[in-house]
Amino acid sequence: MDLRSVFIANLKKYRKERNLSQLKLAELCGTSTSYIGEIEIGKKFPSVEMIQRFSEAINIQPHMLFMTETDSYSETNDKEKKEKMIEKLQTAIREIVESA
């Protein structure tokens, strides 16, 4: 699964876990419902600023939107493993931002 797909799946998952409709999330983030829908079907990808708004609206750390279920960053005390995972995540985010 690529990072965009991970982001989309997580945005939907966290939005639904918090019982937020696309409309409510759009209101909380100062954007349109159609924009949220386009993101959730993969037609558009949000800016870093909008990712920050999403994370604040659904009350999670922004990096959680890019974590897969097999990523164990938050469950490990291994400093080296954490650093490698953060580096991997930063690289992937940079690639998305540069390609947008």
Side-chain angles (χ1 to χ4, degrees):
M1 185 178 275
D2 67 25
L3 197 58
R4 287 178 189 255
S5 299
V6 170
F7 176 86
I8 291 165
N10 283 334
L11 181 62
K12 288 180 190 178
K13 177 183 88 169
Y14 289 119
R15 177 179 63 76
K16 290 178 180 182
E17 283 178 359
R18 281 137 179 91
N19 296 316
L20 295 174
S21 64
Q22 288 182 346
L23 175 62
K24 185 61 179 175
L25 181 60
E27 288 173 357
L28 292 171
C29 296
T31 192
S32 68
T33 305
S34 62
Y35 181 64
I36 302 295
E38 288 176 328
I39 290 170
E40 288 191 357
I41 63 170
K43 190 172 181 180
K44 293 195 175 183
F45 196 82
S47 66
V48 173
E49 292 80 11
M50 187 58 70
I51 293 170
Q52 181 68 37
R53 288 186 203 172
F54 290 152
S55 68
E56 290 169 358
I58 58 179
N59 197 29
I60 61 168
Q61 293 295 315
H63 72 273
M64 295 302 294
L65 290 167
F66 295 94
M67 303 292 283
T68 64
E69 290 183 14
T70 59
D71 292 331
S72 58
Y73 168 78
S74 60
E75 299 172 8
T76 185
N77 291 323
D78 184 342
K79 184 177 179 179
E80 184 176 327
K81 186 174 182 179
K82 285 181 183 180
E83 289 173 357
K84 285 181 181 181
M85 192 166 292
I86 290 170
E87 183 179 319
K88 178 182 169 186
L89 183 59
Q90 288 171 332
T91 300
I93 292 170
R94 188 176 313 111
E95 290 172 0
I96 289 173
V97 170
E98 289 173 357
S99 70

